[in-house]
Amino acid sequence: MKYIGEEIYNAIPNRKPFMILDTLEVDDDKAFSELKLAEDEWFFQCHYPGNPILPLTLLVESMTQTFSSIFLNKTTDKTEIPVISSIGPLKMKEGAAPGDVIRLEAILDSFKRGIAKGSCRAFKNELEQPIMEIDIVEVLPSLMVRIG
């Protein structure tokens, strides 16, 4: 399913200003999203004036949102908030600035007992090599099976 703009609110519980995805496409075990970094984005005003770059935390947040959409698509409650359990290793190779288009690709490796494991890669403009890669583990507290 493909979502554009505020339609993304139907797929994930995140909202602006931290939901900066422009498009989101969710398949069974993969999701793809895109961020078009306009010069007037709120975060470029403070990070850094005169040399604006996309904050790493917002790129990671966008990656986790893209990843979350895959397993939230498999649940009936799309409003439950996924909790990040672990991220890493994080491999950052290049930054992003106003005018860049960031393409995100997330892959769900497993989703069992409320625990989702997978990875996400970020690509800039037409580059074929990722500018950032992370492994992600997220949980849905209501589905977690408590052991012990």
Side-chain angles (χ1 to χ4, degrees):
M1 171 149 290
K2 186 164 186 169
Y3 305 92
I4 299 172
E6 290 189 1
E7 292 176 354
I8 296 171
Y9 296 163
N10 296 320
I12 58 176
N14 307 77
R15 299 293 183 263
K16 291 189 179 294
F18 284 92
M19 198 291 292
I20 61 172
L21 304 177
D22 292 306
T23 64
L24 174 66
E25 187 169 348
V26 184
D27 293 329
D28 283 340
D29 293 325
K30 290 185 179 180
F32 306 91
S33 62
E34 189 173 272
L35 297 80
K36 295 176 184 159
L37 301 177
E39 286 191 34
D40 63 349
E41 298 283 2
W42 65 270
F43 44 84
F44 287 140
Q45 308 308 311
C46 55
H47 198 267
Y48 295 97
N51 186 27
I53 58 172
L54 175 66
L56 177 65
T57 53
L58 286 179
L59 182 54
V60 170
E61 177 67 21
S62 297
M63 294 171 94
T64 62
Q65 291 171 13
T66 303
F67 178 70
S68 298
S69 71
I70 305 168
F71 60 89
L72 284 174
N73 192 48
K74 299 176 182 298
T75 67
T76 55
D77 183 4
K78 306 280 189 267
T79 63
E80 184 166 6
I81 297 171
V83 177
I84 297 169
S85 177
S86 72
I87 295 176
L90 185 148
K91 299 172 190 158
M92 181 76 172
K93 298 173 183 161
E94 190 174 329
D100 288 335
V101 175
I102 304 299
R103 296 173 291 113
L104 304 176
E105 173 186 287
I107 298 171
L108 177 66
D109 294 327
S110 68
F111 183 52
K112 299 175 186 169
R113 297 183 291 276
I115 302 170
K117 297 178 182 179
S119 60
C120 192
R121 301 185 308 165
F123 301 86
K124 182 168 79 171
N125 302 323
E126 299 303 318
L127 294 177
E128 293 186 22
Q129 296 298 316
I131 63 166
M132 190 164 130
E133 301 175 76
I134 57 174
D135 293 331
I136 306 172
V137 178
E138 291 189 17
V139 299
L140 288 176
S142 71
L143 297 180
M144 285 185 65
V145 174
R146 308 231 188 269
I147 299 172

